[in-house]
Amino acid sequence: MNGIGSDGHTASLFPDAPGLAETGRRAIAAEPGLEPFVPRVTLTPPVFAATGLLVYLASGEGKAAAVRRAFAEEPSSAAPASIVRGRRTIALLDRAAAALL
């Protein structure tokens, strides 16, 4: 299960991060885009793409804009959750997070 950050990141893949273009490795070091600013390791988009089912969970009005960018707009590296998908992807959202869809 993946979350969505208010900036549209998921799995320590932050907006416009070089790791979004990684195709050869399964996991990489990732620079944090939000607190906590600690060393991170993340899976890469091809690993998620090979997943049978990827579930996103988001709640609260603070996630509404990111949810819109992830699920209602064109995929963009500015909103990593819009490009990180499994073979099948579903989103579990409360009313507040889904308010802008």
Side-chain angles (χ1 to χ4, degrees):
M1 186 171 304
N2 279 23
I4 299 175
S6 58
D7 63 350
H9 85 274
T10 189
S12 291
L13 292 166
F14 290 93
D16 301 313
L20 292 167
E22 178 61 50
T23 60
R25 296 179 288 171
R26 292 177 184 224
I28 57 171
E31 293 293 323
L34 294 173
E35 289 188 22
F37 294 103
V38 298
R40 296 172 185 236
V41 174
T42 187
L43 297 175
T44 59
V47 173
F48 292 107
T51 301
L53 175 63
L54 179 59
V55 178
Y56 279 100
L57 176 65
S59 64
E61 65 184 63
K63 301 291 177 83
V67 165
R68 177 169 178 72
R69 289 192 309 276
F71 299 110
E73 296 179 5
E74 291 294 317
S76 166
S77 65
S82 72
I83 57 177
V84 173
R85 296 288 188 263
R87 284 182 272 156
R88 193 169 136 223
T89 301
I90 62 172
L92 303 174
L93 310 169
D94 68 4
R95 286 185 189 274
L100 299 178
L101 294 178

